[in-house]
Amino acid sequence: MKIAPIGLAYSSRTLCKAVEDALLCTHVCPAGIEGAFIQAAAIAALSQSGMAQEGGTEPTGPVTSPAALLPHLQALTGLPAMQLKLQVLSDALPGPSQPQQCLALMK
């Protein structure tokens, strides 16, 4: 997908509409639009170096890990299937006590 520039150019308040407008001629399926929106939202959050505070949706602090990004993206999606996919990704990430185990597996 070529949606990354949309995530760089638009704020979180206008991002959804910008993604929909960009996809009008290529994506009509809600799942395709939602997937593009989540990709653009991830780019936006990372490029703005911010994450939502608990219960909020506006980027506020630095993105320090995928574990911080995924709950932010889950809060933005309205499709249960997308929420489940993001939850599966989140569950697959190592917990705070597991980084050494992951490093050992990578050697």
Side-chain angles (χ1 to χ4, degrees):
M1 283 192 181
K2 298 177 183 174
I3 202 69
I6 302 296
L8 291 172
Y10 290 88
S11 72
S12 59
R13 290 191 177 110
T14 58
L15 185 61
C16 186
K17 178 72 172 129
V19 168
E20 288 177 0
D21 290 347
L23 299 178
L24 279 176
C25 64
T26 59
H27 292 69
V28 293
C29 171
I33 294 169
E34 188 74 8
F37 171 70
I38 292 300
Q39 287 183 27
I43 295 295
L46 293 168
S47 70
Q48 295 166 12
S49 199
M51 287 303 309
Q53 291 180 351
E54 191 170 323
T57 58
E58 290 301 312
T60 57
V63 175
T64 58
S65 70
L69 179 62
L70 290 171
H72 172 70
L73 297 176
Q74 278 182 291
L76 296 176
T77 184
L79 293 179
M82 185 62 71
Q83 289 176 339
L84 179 61
K85 289 176 183 182
L86 293 168
Q87 186 60 51
V88 168
L89 285 173
S90 185
D91 292 346
L93 292 173
S97 62
Q98 297 173 317
Q100 296 304 324
Q101 294 170 348
C102 290
L103 290 174
L105 290 173
M106 293 164 64
K107 291 182 180 181

